[in-house]
Each structure stands twice: as structure tokens, then as C-alpha cells.
Amino acid sequence: MRAVIGLPIIDRATPWAANTNEYFSKALRVRDEYQGHPTIDTVFAPHAPYSVRDDTFKRLRTLSDELDAGICIHLQESAGEMAFSEKTHGCRPIERLESLGLLRPGLNAIHMVHLSESDLAAVQRTGLSVTVCPESNLKLGNGQAPFAQLRSSGVRLAIGTDGAASNNDQDLWAEMKLAALLSRPTPEEPPALTPWDVLAMATCGAADALNLPCIGVLAADKWADLCCLDLSAPAMQPLYDIPAQLVYSGGRDCVSDVWVAGRQLVADYKLTRLDWAPVAARAQSWATRILQEAP
Ligand SMILES: [Zn+2]
């Protein structure tokens, strides 16, 4: 599997860590564990501006400078977050992060539903990347990122699902279709995001946003991470316009084969390196435990 694991930092206790120091020590421990791993990377993941204090952001900035580590954060996702920031800090979340020195190319801002002209200028000026998560935003009633402005301003753009707590599936195909559909402003205008745009956001754009130059395109000196789709599948018939059909009619059920770093992980619709039954059983045992321990 190829993964970039977000190492959570939050100024409140969770089952993962009791306090800020423990978040940092656990983050560094997990980071060390995967150092040099061929397919798994890590980034620091301060949860959101409303759950992380200024001194914690400053500590994180120093640490990420020392380690040359990336950072991802949920940013400007909801109206509540914007109001809290104005009330508590007297500025927008992105302005606060800029004053703390966190806006830079190694930062991946997830969501950015609320985006003023000055926010967009800050994104362009500092070179950070943006990951949009349309299904999560829809489910939580947060609105949508302004796809047209983000696309036309040349922001480094990726697409994601958000976490399992705010989206029931991690189906990137559904996100691509939804982003393309939602990006049409009026019947008279074309969608701001073409099928090629959303395919790029899920592939080379995502690799760029995650600062993984070794993947994202099929080229010499890159890992050949790729998936193969069955264009003879019922959903793809009849075949006219492959990019449009991949986005508007395709789905994860059309993926027949997957390779990561030269290893075939899915062959003819079957997992090659995972025994599914114990994986499913482990997930179910966690569900049972969570239900039992829920307050
Ligand atoms: Zn989120």
C-alpha cells in the first residue's frame, strides 16, 4: 500500500494521547518507525485551527523546519470555524496560520470551503496546496470549496475523501464525480472542473499536494503506481469519451488491477497480498469495542 500517515496533534485529550506533549512524542515515534519506508510517509497533522493553540503551532513549525516535514490541516471548513477564529483571534484562520509562519509549499490545506479573495491571494503567494473533499462538505452541510476560483487561479489542487468520521466511505471515484458535477455554476456555463481536471486532482495533483514527486505520472524514474480499469464493464458501455466516462460513469468497481511500486496488489478484482476475512474481522472487533466504550 502507498500511504502518507497524518500524525495527529490536538490540544485536548483523546484515546490516542492525553496531552500535547504526548501527541508530539507519539508523532515522532511513529515518524521514526516509518523513516525510510519505501511506500509509507508521514506528515504532521495538527487537527484544525480551533483545536490547536498558538504555542503548539509554533512548536510544530520549529519541528517541521528541523525535520523538513510536511503538514496537513483541516482549514476554513465551516462557518463555525470562521466565527470562532474571528472571535478568539480577531482574524481568519489562514491569516493566523500565516502570522505563525505555517503557510508554505509543504502545507496541505484540506477543505478551504471559505475562501475570500485575500485568502486566495495568500494561498497563491505562499504556494501551499489545497485538497477539496466535496462529499464530506456535503454531508456536514458546510457548503463547497469554490472550485472555479481555485482552478482558474492555478492553486495546487488535490481531491480527497476526508476522514471516516465525516464521510462513510473513502471512495475517491465518488469524490471525482461529485466535484465535477458541483463545479457547474449555471446551465449556461460549462463545469469549472473538466473530467481531465478531476482525474489530475486525484493523481498528479494529489502526488504534488502530498509532496511525493516519485509518483503521480507514468514516467522514467517514477514508481509505476497505477490502476487498470475494465473498459468493457457494463457501466462503461458504450464507450465514447474515456476521461468523461471514467469520471461520470466509472467507479471503483471497474478497477480490475492495481500496482504500487511495482507490486501487484489487486489482480483480476482480487487482493493479492491481504487475506480479507481477518481484516474484516479486525474492523468488526473495533466497531464492537467502540460501541461498548461509547459514552
Ligand atoms: Zn475534515
Side-chain angles (χ1 to χ4, degrees):
M1 180 180 277
R2 173 87 59 191
V4 178
I5 299 174
L7 308 166
I9 307 281
I10 316 175
D11 284 315
R12 65 172 76 136
T14 68
W16 172 246
N19 54 50
T20 308
N21 282 339
E22 194 179 355
Y23 280 103
F24 275 97
S25 60
K26 280 196 165 178
L28 289 171
R29 199 187 314 154
V30 175
R31 187 178 188 276
D32 285 349
E33 218 173 285
Y34 287 102
Q35 200 69 36
H37 193 285
T39 57
I40 295 183
D41 289 85
T42 57
V43 291
F44 290 108
H47 172 251
Y50 56 84
S51 55
V52 179
R53 296 188 308 260
D54 280 0
D55 59 329
T56 305
F57 273 130
K58 284 178 190 163
R59 184 174 169 187
L60 190 60
R61 192 211 155 172
T62 306
L63 193 60
S64 78
D65 281 349
E66 284 171 6
L67 300 173
D68 194 22
I71 297 177
C72 69
I73 184 169
H74 300 96
L75 190 61
Q76 307 209 159
E77 176 180 1
S78 68
E81 175 192 341
M82 304 306 289
F84 175 84
S85 182
E86 290 285 357
K87 190 175 165 211
T88 312
H89 303 285
C91 61
R92 295 168 75 77
I94 197 169
E95 292 172 330
R96 179 169 160 238
L97 293 194
E98 184 160 34
S99 73
L100 294 166
L102 282 157
L103 299 196
R104 44 194 163 163
L107 182 82
N108 181 222
I110 300 162
H111 296 301
M112 295 305 284
V113 168
H114 295 267
L115 190 78
S116 67
E117 282 194 15
S118 68
D119 296 340
L120 188 56
V123 172
Q124 289 175 301
R125 185 170 65 245
T126 57
L128 61 84
S129 59
V130 172
T131 298
V132 296
C133 303
E135 211 171 88
S136 159
N137 297 150
L138 205 57
K139 184 174 185 195
L140 299 180
N142 282 328
Q144 288 297 325
F147 301 115
Q149 288 94 316
L150 286 166
R151 173 73 185 85
S152 64
S153 60
V155 168
R156 296 161 62 216
L157 210 48
I159 191 163
T161 61
D162 210 358
S166 40
N167 193 347
N168 297 70
D169 59 24
Q170 265 64 65
D171 182 353
L172 207 50
W173 233 279
E175 302 290 341
M176 288 197 295
K177 179 174 180 176
L178 194 55
L181 293 174
L182 289 167
S183 77
R184 183 162 208 164
T186 65
E188 290 72 35
E189 294 169 86
L193 298 174
T194 66
W196 277 120
D197 289 332
V198 289
L199 285 166
M201 286 159 68
T203 53
C204 49
D208 178 43
L210 292 169
N211 295 301
L212 287 177
C214 59
I215 57 167
V217 294
L218 290 177
D221 299 326
K222 309 261 186 193
W223 288 112
D225 285 11
L226 61 99
C227 63
C228 179
L229 275 96
D230 181 3
L231 296 181
S232 68
M236 303 300 285
Q237 306 310 309
L239 200 59
Y240 289 103
D241 176 341
I242 292 176
Q245 284 178 250
L246 289 179
V247 170
Y248 289 116
S249 353
R252 54 189 177 179
D253 52 335
C254 298
V255 176
S256 61
D257 300 80
V258 177
W259 289 264
V260 171
R263 287 177 172 178
Q264 188 162 15
L265 305 186
V266 177
D268 196 21
Y269 300 96
K270 290 192 180 64
L271 295 165
T272 60
R273 302 174 70 86
L274 275 179
D275 186 359
W276 176 241
V279 174
R282 196 167 165 209
Q284 189 54 50
S285 76
W286 271 102
T288 307
R289 188 172 155 189
I290 289 167
L291 276 175
Q292 281 167 351
E293 293 180 11

